[in-house]
Amino acid sequence: MRKQGIIFSFGLVLITFPILSKQTQKQTPNQTNQMTYRVVKGDSWYGIARKMNVPAEILAKLNGRTTAENLFENEKLRIPRDKETKSISSETKIKEKIAFPLGQKEKIQKKFSELTYDPYKGIQFQRGSSSLVRASFSGKVVHVDYMDGYENFVILEHENGLYSVYGNLERIQVTEGQQVNAKDRLGILAKDKGLYFQINQNKTNLNPELILQRGFE
């Protein structure tokens, strides 16, 4: 029964991408809707963050930037809601360093997002020269399977309610029930796809990119 629950949970995470219906909302001159902000002359990351009551660093990360980068007049920024802010900063839930899930660093092709109009529960790495997929940290292989759009995938269970997911594998080199250590080989990537990588703590999706930015082994 436990195994079925894990499969169901991650099945929803992997394949369910609801589309937000557009709603008419009252607009202000600079705030086009409740989730975006139009930059005006004289704005700064910290000034906008104070207006929107969100941390400046998280505002910048949500928009794929840093607070050291310049803003541009008329640029449209996404503004995180409470739930998104917690998810963006949720890397603090993992205390220890984790291993990079590929043999070498690769660029991220699609970023994690909990925006209701463009959700994505993990990150998609660009297909580069690295094909070896390895465990991010020690745990137990709890599920090995195939899913359309994600090829072969592996789910690891770790301590403190943590799970990690590795998709787009051509070959899997572990079996269910097997214990693995950080950096242990899990499989080989499909030839035409980059790694799909996801981290959950219980039912909460964590942002793998921010976790990796904290440093890894």
Side-chain angles (χ1 to χ4, degrees), residues 114-164:
E114 282 198 347
L115 295 173
T116 50
Y117 57 83
D118 186 26
Y120 201 68
K121 305 306 181 184
I123 55 177
Q124 176 80 36
F125 287 99
Q126 182 175 310
R127 184 66 165 90
S129 58
S130 179
S131 61
L132 171 64
V133 178
R134 59 186 192 172
S136 55
F137 42 117
S138 60
K140 179 181 179 181
V141 180
V142 292
H143 192 57
V144 172
D145 209 341
Y146 175 91
M147 181 181 294
D148 289 339
Y150 294 89
E151 306 297 331
N152 298 305
F153 67 92
V154 175
I155 299 177
L156 301 184
E157 181 180 21
H158 313 281
E159 294 181 347
N160 302 320
L162 291 167
Y163 293 87
S164 56

Side-chain angles (χ1 to χ4, degrees), residues 40 42-50 59 71:
V40 299
D43 270 338
S44 68
W45 289 110
Y46 291 95
I48 297 171
R50 283 194 297 270
L59 173 64
L71 288 168

Side-chain angles (χ1 to χ4, degrees), residues 19 47 56 58 70 75 97 100 165 172 198-199 209 215-216:
I19 299 174
I58 288 178
N70 293 327
E75 178 182 3
K97 289 184 178 181
F100 200 79
V165 185
I172 292 176
Q198 178 181 319
I199 297 178
E209 182 179 3
F216 51 86

Side-chain angles (χ1 to χ4, degrees), residues 39-83:
V39 176
V40 299
K41 187 176 181 179
D43 270 338
S44 68
W45 289 110
Y46 291 95
I48 297 171
R50 283 194 297 270
K51 290 179 187 178
M52 299 300 164
N53 195 30
V54 297
E57 291 77 10
I58 288 178
L59 173 64
K61 284 180 179 179
L62 178 64
N63 289 276
R65 312 273 287 285
T66 70
T67 56
E69 297 179 62
N70 293 327
L71 288 168
F72 301 96
E73 192 172 352
N74 292 322
E75 178 182 3
K76 184 185 289 185
L77 299 178
R78 293 181 291 174
I79 306 299
R81 293 178 175 178
D82 288 343
K83 180 180 178 182

